[in-house]
Amino acid sequence: DGGITQSPKYLFRKEGQNVTLSCEQNLNHDAMYWYRQDPGQGLRLIYYSQIVNDFQKGDIAEGYSVSREKKESFPLTVTSAQKNPTAFYLCASSIKPTIYSNQPQHFGDGTRLSIL
Amino acid sequence: ILNVEQSPQSLHVQEGDSTNFTCSFPSSNFYALHWYRWETAKSPEALFVMTLNGDEKKKGRISATLNTKEGYSYLYIKGSQPEDSATYLCACPGAGNNRKLIWGLGTSLAVNP
């Protein structure tokens, strides 16, 4: 079955440590996204990529970095500069870039990141 | 900045009840309206993407309507079942070149058997 796989499901980070969240899709989608969810807030966009080797900052990119070296992979690194990283992280993809606003997004199961 | 608002925040109904909730958005610069269902411990699932004023879409017992002139969409669930318990999210593409989705906070539905 085609889908989006996020790993790990739970992740713990020590102070000052960088951690990388994995997101892989086998849907052959062009666009991929990283969202953060905090209690009482809507999904907030961290980074997105419209095509391989391209990515753009979302609304809350500070303290995060991404790469898009392969179409199927869009890993998110939470750096030590992100002062409040405890949250639920969702990866998503869409068949076409966001400019085609009628394309639904497909989501992974998420990664919950906590600080030790 | 585009604001997408959903009401009510939460809803408790009995099995067999029909229910509906609302997504409100600015009516200017409208591109599309997305509805998603997010069950606990699962990933959000797209229900509908609507683009035309007056559009109505249906998926089983769930349907949605769209009024772009007044800036709202209704999601209806007919004969609610416990498996309908989930958070229902709506989202609209914002203005600008990339039209990133702006998300509402969701309506949390609990259906009691």
Side-chain angles (χ1 to χ4, degrees), chain A residues 42 48 56 98-99 101 105 108, chain B residues 31 34 36 43 93 97-98 103 105:
Chain A
Y48 63 106
Q56 291 155 51
T98 55
I99 191 71
S101 52
Q105 294 188 6
Chain B
Y31 299 108
H34 294 228
Y36 292 80
S43 54
N97 293 334
N98 293 314
W103 295 82
L105 296 182

Side-chain angles (χ1 to χ4, degrees), chain B residues 24 31-32 34 43-44 46 50 56 67 76 80 88 94 98 106 108:
Chain B
S24 301
Y31 299 108
H34 294 228
S43 54
M50 308 175 79
E56 181 170 347
N67 185 322
Y76 299 92
S80 302
Y88 292 82
N98 293 314
S108 175

Side-chain angles (χ1 to χ4, degrees), chain A residues 9 35 37 40-43 45 48 50 56-59 88 90 98-99 101-109, chain B residues 31-34 36 38 41-46 48-49 51 89 93 96-105:
Chain A
K9 195 167 185 176
Y35 291 97
Q37 190 200 31
Q41 299 200 40
L43 295 177
L45 185 64
Y48 63 106
Q50 308 278 35
Q56 291 155 51
K57 292 182 180 180
D59 301 316
F88 187 68
L90 274 171
T98 55
I99 191 71
S101 52
N102 62 345
Q103 298 300 310
Q105 294 188 6
H106 300 255
F107 288 84
D109 289 339
Chain B
Y31 299 108
L33 186 287
H34 294 228
Y36 292 80
W38 192 358
K42 294 187 178 180
S43 54
E45 171 197 8
F48 308 112
V49 180
T51 57
L89 298 171
N97 293 334
N98 293 314
R99 298 185 193 167
K100 299 168 289 183
L101 285 181
I102 309 298
W103 295 82
L105 296 182

Side-chain angles (χ1 to χ4, degrees), chain B residues 7-75:
Chain B
S7 62
Q9 186 176 349
S10 64
L11 201 51
H12 292 256
V13 301
Q14 290 298 125
E15 182 175 355
D17 288 349
S18 293
T19 187
N20 66 85
F21 24 93
T22 307
C23 176
S24 301
F25 51 87
S27 54
S28 58
N29 295 319
F30 175 82
Y31 299 108
L33 186 287
H34 294 228
W35 279 105
Y36 292 80
R37 174 172 59 199
W38 192 358
E39 295 177 63
T40 302
K42 294 187 178 180
S43 54
E45 171 197 8
L47 290 173
F48 308 112
V49 180
M50 308 175 79
T51 57
L52 299 176
N53 183 46
D55 204 5
E56 181 170 347
K57 296 208 171 185
K58 191 174 180 181
K59 185 176 183 178
R61 292 178 292 97
I62 303 176
S63 60
T65 61
L66 179 66
N67 185 322
T68 61
K69 296 188 186 305
E70 296 183 37
Y72 64 84
S73 174
Y74 292 140
L75 189 78

